[in-house]
């Protein structure tokens, strides 16, 4: 919950690099990433015009058995516009 709150705060503050770093840190620390984590990180990348990072995160989700939803796809599409 704490990581997700920090990632969401980074997204709101348009700090895509920090959000991405926290998401990666979760993986290396064996902290489970969920749909909320990915959605916030993808949205942060979208706001930072980092479409390649957003798409990489989208591709990672099935490998971690994380479900994608409408918010996930919407943020990824917006990142590519």
């Amino acid at each position: 919950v704490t990581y997700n709150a920090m990632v969401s705060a980074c997204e709101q503050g348009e700090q895509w690099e920090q959000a991405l770093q926290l998401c990666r840190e979760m993986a290396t620390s064996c902290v489970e990433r969920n749909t909320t984590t990915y959605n916030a990180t993808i949205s942060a990348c979208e706001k930072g015009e980092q479409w390649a990072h957003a798409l990489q995160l989208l591709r990672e989700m099935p490998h971690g058995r994380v479900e994608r939803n409408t918010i996930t796809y919407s943020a990824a599409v917006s990142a590519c516009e």
Side-chain angles (χ1 to χ4, degrees):
V1 175
T2 302
Y3 269 103
N4 282 346
M6 290 189 309
V7 171
S8 292
C10 291
E11 178 220 342
Q12 296 300 318
E14 298 183 25
Q15 299 294 317
W16 70 269
E17 291 167 311
Q18 289 290 96
L20 196 58
Q21 180 180 345
L22 286 167
C23 188
R24 300 287 184 235
E25 184 178 305
M26 288 174 76
T28 59
S29 300
C30 297
V31 176
E32 183 178 338
R33 297 180 288 179
N34 59 26
T35 304
T36 302
T37 309
Y38 277 98
N39 287 351
T41 308
I42 291 169
S43 291
C45 290
E46 177 254 319
K47 290 177 181 176
E49 300 179 358
Q50 299 298 314
W51 63 269
H53 289 297
L55 293 181
Q56 177 60 39
L57 290 163
L58 183 67
R59 282 191 295 267
E60 284 177 16
M61 291 178 76
H63 299 290
R65 296 194 170 128
V66 178
E67 186 176 325
R68 302 174 198 173
N69 61 21
T70 306
I71 295 167
T72 311
Y73 289 113
S74 177
V77 168
S78 294
C80 295
E81 293 179 334

